[in-house]
Amino acid sequence: MSAHHDHGAHGHHDHHDHHGHDHADHGSLKSYATGFILAVILTVIPFWLVMGKVFDKPSTTGFVLLGLAAVQIVVHMVYFLHMNSKSEGGWTMLALLFTTMVVVIMMSGSLWVMYHLNHNMMPGMDHETVPESIKMAPVEKEMKKMPGMS
């Protein structure tokens, strides 16, 4: 029991003292409220775009949704995760850029592979890759319609 030290009696500082360390800003009620309002707006707009069928082409809706999703990611990182170029000596920004680069490479590569698989695997899309048995099927149907040819 004599091994227990009373830190207050010896003049030691509390573990939570700030010795000139630059800690990241944890935000204020105003910044959290601003982030929340922006997040709600950026959630309601895509919902309205999809449910109201605002755009005629689904691809246009998809691209607008992707853009709004990217904006919402930035809002979450700035207002809730407090990421900026000053926090953690810039390492969080560098990690974010690396992650973004990897995600873009993976997504674009995946879309490229899926597009080419769809394009090359669908019968009748490219006449050079379609087997002769499929190409001849319409001709055989026409010949059966002709009198005396069946």
Side-chain angles (χ1 to χ4, degrees), residues 45-69:
I45 290 173
F47 185 78
W48 169 71
L49 288 174
V50 171
M51 296 305 289
K53 298 182 182 178
V54 176
F55 297 110
D56 292 334
K57 294 173 64 176
S59 60
T60 305
T61 304
F63 284 121
V64 171
L65 292 180
L66 285 174
L68 290 170

Side-chain angles (χ1 to χ4, degrees), residues 132-146 149-150:
E132 290 296 319
S133 61
I134 295 176
K135 286 183 182 178
M136 297 303 285
V139 174
E140 292 172 2
K141 287 179 186 176
E142 290 299 320
M143 290 179 69
K144 287 183 180 181
K145 290 181 184 177
M146 299 170 87
M149 297 297 285
S150 48

Side-chain angles (χ1 to χ4, degrees), residues 76-97:
H76 281 258
M77 288 189 310
V78 170
Y79 287 99
F80 300 121
L81 298 176
H82 312 293
M83 289 182 69
N84 56 29
S85 60
K86 294 177 234 153
S87 63
E88 302 279 336
W91 282 107
T92 55
M93 191 61 66
L94 186 61
L96 173 66
L97 290 173

Side-chain angles (χ1 to χ4, degrees), residues 63-128:
F63 284 121
V64 171
L65 292 180
L66 285 174
L68 290 170
V71 171
Q72 189 164 28
I73 289 171
V74 172
V75 166
H76 281 258
M77 288 189 310
V78 170
Y79 287 99
F80 300 121
L81 298 176
H82 312 293
M83 289 182 69
N84 56 29
S85 60
K86 294 177 234 153
S87 63
E88 302 279 336
W91 282 107
T92 55
M93 191 61 66
L94 186 61
L96 173 66
L97 290 173
F98 178 73
T99 304
T100 303
M101 182 181 68
V102 169
V103 167
V104 166
I105 290 170
M106 287 177 55
M107 293 292 289
S108 59
S110 297
L111 290 173
W112 181 75
V113 167
M114 287 188 285
Y115 170 77
H116 285 286
L117 279 175
N118 185 41
H119 180 73
N120 292 330
M121 299 299 286
M122 292 300 294
M125 297 302 281
D126 186 7
H127 296 292
E128 294 173 7

